[in-house]
Amino acid sequence: MAKRITVAVDANGADLGPSEVAAGAAVAAARGTRVLIFGPAQEIGEVPDGVEVVDAPVSIAKASDSARAARSTPESSIVQAAKAVACGDADALVSGGSTGTALAAGLFNIRRAAGIYRPALAIPMPIPGSPALLLDVGANVEVRSEYLVQFAFMGVAFSRAVLGIACPRVGLLSNGSEPTKGTPLVIEAHNQLSTLMAGAPDLEFIGNIEGNDVTAGVADVVVMDGFTGNVTLKVMEGSLATMLKAIGDVSKGSLRDRAGGLLLAPGIRELRDELDPETTGGAYMLGLRRLGVVTHGRFTRRGFARAIELAERGVREDLVGRTHAALEAAGALRSSPSGDGSSVDA
Amino acid sequence: MAKRITVAVDANGADLGPSEVAAGAAVAAARGTRVLIFGPAQEIGEVPDGVEVVDAPVSIAKASDSARAARSTPESSIVQAAKAVACGDADALVSGGSTGTALAAGLFNIRRAAGIYRPALAIPMPIPGSPALLLDVGANVEVRSEYLVQFAFMGVAFSRAVLGIACPRVGLLSNGSEPTKGTPLVIEAHNQLSTLMAGAPDLEFIGNIEGNDVTAGVADVVVMDGFTGNVTLKVMEGSLATMLKAIGDVSKGSLRDRAGGLLLAPGIRELRDELDPETTGGAYMLGLRRLGVVTHGRFTRRGFARAIELAERGVREDLVGRTHAALEAAGALRSSPSGDGSSVDA
């Protein structure tokens, strides 16, 4: 029988409160995952089977200076959860709090994996008919071309191990499809990826892609710096929400429109569910010694259960080991030690 | 009576051919604009009333190196049209060809306005319920903070003079709303804009906005570098198209879905028309001595007519003069002469 996998979960920071996180943990526990919850025991109340609670009432989920809070508040639930992962008491981290705080706590405690320049935040976008993994979506506002190269390999490993895509197609986001298009940084990354990915048997570097390609299903992994990634992600979310609202407004027009809207409502609800970020579990912190997931504050138990499930899958499929092996095979590991990595921006 | 305004139009490069451009010109001419068309006289055929044709069959609309083509092909229709504007034979330029070629021809011939660092490409996005002007959407892949500052004032002047917004709200696109968020470049631009726009009576600097705010109607003018702008514009276009397609797919499902789809079809068609880029005329080249508009290759006569109409409005409302006055009042003009400006990237 396979080793039982333990996921450490920070229950502070969720909009619906720690008990909703615990309810999600119960779902994951029922599927066989061991879950360690760090949060206010009093608010969690009755502990579901298969779930253990470590009382950690202090929350830094809304700290304005997340890096500083993560360093100076060892008693906080997120730092305790991250330490549990760092010490081997748990195999992966799930956070219900802010992205910046989770990233800082992960970086200081779990630390970067050997040979990694910078961790990245990856989001699987549930685009109808053409899901795509976007990274970096905000951990690194400024990057170097070799970071982008590592992000590409990290994304490929995640896409394969966790999302089950056998031969991911990798695109580099730019302002034109020609290799000469983009900032000097993007052009340099394009050249490096062309060379390094040419020999890899189980992926395909399709070169530069443009903004409209992101939702068009041409790439499984889309690589960019964290500033562009944050903008891209949010423009996409905003555009999809605006369109859903506009369609809703159309359905409130004439009698004919209202009748049509009523008939189409179940179909549109399905589409809305398909676009729901809860189905993908959240944002994944790649490049640490262990996998971390940051859920969205407004998630329900369904989203937390999904995050724990995908974190468990990442551990079972040895995402971290496979990422390292792929980077090593491509010669894209950082050769010297990497300092304390305190420059993550999110 | 007001002076009759002349618009020079390059008819090469449109997907539907020069005769479609001429048909759009005829609509504008019927409204009182004088239109000079540069293109292959033979393909244009019968010349509509109020339109004059200058036979210029050579097209560089699809040139791979647009800057070089614009320099080395003075007989091309776009260069002749730009020269007509530069020499005062016309007041504004409309191009049916590629953005890069039009920018290069505009820059070399019409040249930058005094005190402008770099011209920018601005697109009025027809977002349902909340239109917004985005700039730069691709002229400058790399910028300095003082370019972004000028883009903001250029966008305000356009928004006011051409789009009729009395007191435009200006947002700076970043990865967070706090003034400390963004690349060092964005943070610096934020500080400069805060200072320079504080005294202006007829605009409002609302600070950093995030990607999801672009479609949310919080800002009338959204400022960014040309790389981010190109990505933002195309991600938005791709997301809207993907959603329209997904709604269409829903309407092809069950009998109930199909009935709903049929009933809603006219409403959705209206929404599609609202989103149609032809309604906004295209992308505007701001920061030159005269206004230029680059239409989309797939435009019909309606889009060309609209581009000519808005170009005419820009001239009538003295967009260039008002831009200069606003930059001068804010102390944001470049003090030294600016070279030949050959580094535009589009």
Side-chain angles (χ1 to χ4, degrees):
Chain A
M1 210 186 105
K3 175 183 171 283
R4 195 156 168 235
I5 287 160
T6 304
V7 177
V9 178
D10 168 24
N12 274 316
D15 294 351
L16 296 173
S19 63
E20 187 72 17
V21 181
V27 174
R31 289 196 202 108
T33 309
R34 182 173 164 244
V35 184
L36 280 182
I37 291 191
F38 295 78
Q42 213 179 354
E43 286 180 54
I44 291 169
E46 202 179 332
V47 179
D49 283 346
V51 175
E52 292 157 53
V53 174
V54 178
D55 189 28
V58 177
S59 171
I60 54 169
K62 313 275 184 216
S64 63
D65 185 342
S66 50
R68 196 172 158 187
R71 279 191 189 279
S72 64
T73 324
E75 70 278 21
S76 65
S77 55
I78 181 63
V79 173
Q80 288 199 51
K83 277 186 195 292
V85 176
C87 302
D89 296 335
D91 304 295
L93 175 70
V94 169
S95 162
S98 89
T99 308
T101 311
L103 256 176
L107 200 50
F108 298 151
N109 295 286
I110 305 176
R111 308 185 80 80
R112 272 182 273 181
I116 297 287
Y117 291 100
R118 291 282 185 277
L121 269 182
I123 291 227
M125 281 299 291
I127 302 156
S130 51
L133 184 76
L134 271 51
L135 82 169
D136 174 21
V137 295
N140 308 275
V141 162
E142 289 188 291
V143 302
R144 302 210 309 254
S145 60
E146 53 269 35
Y147 303 0
L148 292 176
V149 167
Q150 288 198 336
F151 296 170
F153 281 98
M154 285 151 63
V156 164
F158 182 87
S159 187
R160 203 180 288 136
V162 176
L163 304 178
I165 295 165
C167 185
R169 297 158 302 165
V170 179
L172 179 65
L173 189 63
S174 189
N175 63 323
S177 56
E178 307 89 337
T180 53
K181 281 283 188 175
T183 59
L185 174 89
V186 169
I187 294 169
E188 178 59 25
H190 181 109
N191 291 338
Q192 291 174 5
L193 283 169
S194 292
T195 309
L196 293 173
M197 288 195 156
D202 45 7
L203 62 84
E204 186 191 352
F205 178 55
I206 63 167
N208 286 357
I209 69 169
E210 298 188 68
N212 51 314
D213 298 324
V214 176
T215 54
V218 303
D220 303 299
V221 175
V222 184
V223 177
M224 57 206 108
D225 67 82
F227 181 86
T228 307
N230 181 286
V231 167
T232 295
L233 176 69
K234 288 178 178 166
V235 165
M236 204 179 298
E237 286 174 352
S239 302
L240 296 175
T242 299
M243 273 305 283
L244 276 175
K245 188 181 168 301
I247 300 278
D249 289 347
V250 166
S251 316
K252 284 176 201 143
S254 66
L255 197 62
R256 176 188 173 136
D257 291 330
R258 290 206 297 276
L262 273 176
L263 288 170
L264 264 192
I268 297 211
R269 211 174 299 127
E270 263 177 52
L271 182 61
R272 210 184 276 269
D273 286 347
E274 204 181 329
L275 292 168
D276 185 350
E278 293 208 37
T279 58
T280 57
Y284 294 78
M285 298 191 281
L286 306 181
L288 300 177
R289 286 169 200 273
R290 304 274 179 202
L291 180 59
V293 193
V294 191
T295 60
H296 201 293
R298 63 168 184 258
F299 273 15
T300 66
R301 61 193 65 190
R302 184 169 147 258
F304 295 114
R306 184 71 175 149
I308 298 167
E309 185 194 345
L310 291 186
E312 198 259 3
R313 191 184 298 168
V315 176
R316 193 160 19 87
E317 298 288 337
D318 188 23
L319 172 64
V320 172
R322 284 162 74 171
T323 304
H324 186 89
L327 285 167
E328 192 166 41
L333 284 172
R334 180 180 187 165
S335 42
S336 61
S338 57
D340 75 351
S342 60
S343 64
V344 153
D345 311 297
Chain B
M1 208 187 107
K3 175 185 170 283
R4 195 158 167 229
I5 286 159
T6 303
V7 177
V9 178
D10 169 24
N12 275 315
D15 294 351
L16 295 174
S19 62
E20 188 71 16
V21 181
V27 174
R31 289 196 203 106
T33 309
R34 182 174 164 242
V35 185
L36 279 182
I37 292 190
F38 296 78
Q42 212 179 356
E43 287 181 54
I44 292 169
E46 202 178 334
V47 181
D49 283 344
V51 175
E52 291 157 54
V53 174
V54 178
D55 189 27
V58 176
S59 171
I60 55 170
K62 313 278 184 214
S64 62
D65 184 343
S66 50
R68 197 173 156 187
R71 278 191 189 279
S72 64
T73 324
E75 70 278 21
S76 65
S77 55
I78 180 65
V79 174
Q80 287 199 51
K83 277 186 197 290
V85 176
C87 302
D89 296 333
D91 304 296
L93 175 70
V94 169
S95 162
S98 89
T99 308
T101 310
L103 257 175
L107 200 50
F108 298 151
N109 294 286
I110 305 176
R111 308 185 78 82
R112 274 182 271 181
I116 296 288
Y117 291 101
R118 292 282 185 277
L121 268 181
I123 291 227
M125 281 298 291
I127 302 156
S130 52
L133 183 76
L134 273 52
L135 81 168
D136 175 20
V137 297
N140 307 276
V141 162
E142 290 188 292
V143 301
R144 302 210 310 256
S145 60
E146 55 269 35
Y147 302 0
L148 292 176
V149 167
Q150 289 199 336
F151 295 170
F153 282 98
M154 284 152 60
V156 164
F158 182 86
S159 188
R160 201 180 292 132
V162 177
L163 304 178
I165 296 164
C167 185
R169 299 157 302 164
V170 179
L172 179 65
L173 189 64
S174 189
N175 63 322
S177 56
E178 306 89 337
T180 54
K181 283 283 189 173
T183 58
L185 174 88
V186 169
I187 294 169
E188 176 60 23
H190 182 109
N191 291 339
Q192 292 175 3
L193 283 169
S194 292
T195 309
L196 293 174
M197 288 194 158
D202 46 6
L203 60 88
E204 186 191 352
F205 178 54
I206 62 167
N208 286 357
I209 69 168
E210 299 188 67
N212 49 316
D213 298 323
V214 177
T215 52
V218 303
D220 302 299
V221 175
V222 185
V223 177
M224 57 205 108
D225 68 80
F227 182 85
T228 307
N230 181 287
V231 167
T232 295
L233 176 70
K234 287 180 179 165
V235 164
M236 202 178 298
E237 287 175 349
S239 302
L240 297 176
T242 299
M243 274 305 283
L244 275 176
K245 186 180 171 304
I247 300 279
D249 289 348
V250 166
S251 315
K252 285 177 200 142
S254 67
L255 197 61
R256 177 188 173 136
D257 291 331
R258 290 205 298 275
L262 272 176
L263 288 170
L264 264 191
I268 298 215
R269 210 173 303 129
E270 263 177 52
L271 183 60
R272 209 184 277 267
D273 286 347
E274 204 180 331
L275 293 167
D276 185 349
E278 293 207 37
T279 58
T280 57
Y284 294 79
M285 299 191 280
L286 306 181
L288 300 177
R289 285 169 201 271
R290 303 276 178 200
L291 179 59
V293 193
V294 190
T295 60
H296 200 294
R298 62 168 185 260
F299 273 15
T300 65
R301 60 193 67 191
R302 184 171 146 256
F304 295 114
R306 184 72 174 148
I308 296 167
E309 184 194 348
L310 291 186
E312 199 259 4
R313 191 183 299 168
V315 176
R316 195 162 15 90
E317 298 289 336
D318 189 23
L319 171 64
V320 171
R322 284 162 75 171
T323 304
H324 186 88
L327 285 167
E328 191 166 42
L333 284 172
R334 178 179 191 171
S335 43
S336 62
S338 57
D340 75 352
S342 61
S343 64
V344 154
D345 309 300

